[in-house]
Amino acid sequence: SFRHGDRPGMCGVGLGWEDLVVVLEDEAPIRKALVETLIGEGHMVESVADGLSGLARFQGGGYDLVLTDLKMPVVDGFDLLAYLSRERRDVPVLVLTAFETPEIGERLRGLGVVEVIEKPVGLARLTESIRRALDTASASSGSRSRPSSQALL
């Protein structure tokens, strides 16, 4: 069963290990699919629909990974990434975009993005990318290791 958190948009599965993933996606059907997939993989998830809400969320800290779209209303993904690059370089960031070019890829790497995933995204690739990013962050910070997604089956 799903456990809902204290904050709006947050839910997860009580598996004894919980990484908080913040999902920023302005398209509701995509956001919903991402949240459901991540919950199914055992992550706590908070989702926001625009960059301004994302910036407000990041002020509170307490998150382990950011999954963001680039093109969003009000505050775009590049502005979010600039903030995270300055304030939370330790948190892995994955970017979802349908508009990757070599120039954009270079700019994203300069902002500390771990991986760029092109839309439409394959959910298997997405979950593997998230697991890999969290494992790498965990290893570099000395945190406990996380079970692979295979352990959840």
Side-chain angles (χ1 to χ4, degrees):
S1 67
F2 297 123
R3 180 173 53 113
H4 298 279
D6 299 331
R7 296 172 288 227
M10 184 169 93
C11 48
V13 181
L15 296 177
W17 62 283
E18 296 167 347
D19 297 302
L20 177 56
V21 177
V22 179
V23 173
L24 295 101
E25 171 59 61
D26 60 318
E27 296 182 47
I30 296 173
R31 187 173 59 250
K32 182 178 184 221
L34 292 170
V35 168
E36 289 174 354
T37 297
L38 294 172
I39 289 169
E41 290 291 317
H43 302 287
M44 297 292 293
V45 179
E46 284 189 21
S47 64
V48 294
D50 62 78
L52 187 59
S53 298
L55 283 175
R57 168 58 190 96
F58 296 144
Q59 301 296 319
Y63 48 92
D64 300 296
L65 184 133
V66 174
L67 177 63
T68 185
D69 190 8
L70 280 183
K71 294 203 177 227
M72 294 181 290
V74 187
V75 175
D76 72 6
F78 285 108
D79 292 332
L80 286 168
L81 295 168
Y83 171 83
L84 291 169
S85 179
R86 285 189 314 272
E87 303 295 328
R88 290 300 311 267
R89 196 74 179 198
D90 60 316
V91 175
V93 178
L94 303 178
V95 169
L96 297 172
T97 185
F99 307 102
E100 187 181 12
T101 65
E103 295 80 19
I104 289 175
E106 185 176 325
R107 186 173 172 198
L108 292 173
R109 282 188 297 281
L111 290 169
V113 170
V114 172
E115 187 172 347
V116 178
I117 302 169
E118 286 194 65
K119 291 180 181 177
V121 60
L123 296 179
R125 176 175 178 216
L126 176 66
T127 57
E128 176 59 25
S129 295
I130 289 171
R131 185 194 59 75
R132 189 172 46 248
L134 288 169
D135 285 348
T136 300
S138 175
S140 66
S141 70
S143 300
R144 69 187 187 279
S145 63
R146 292 157 174 85
S148 73
S149 57
Q150 297 299 320
L152 299 174
L153 299 179

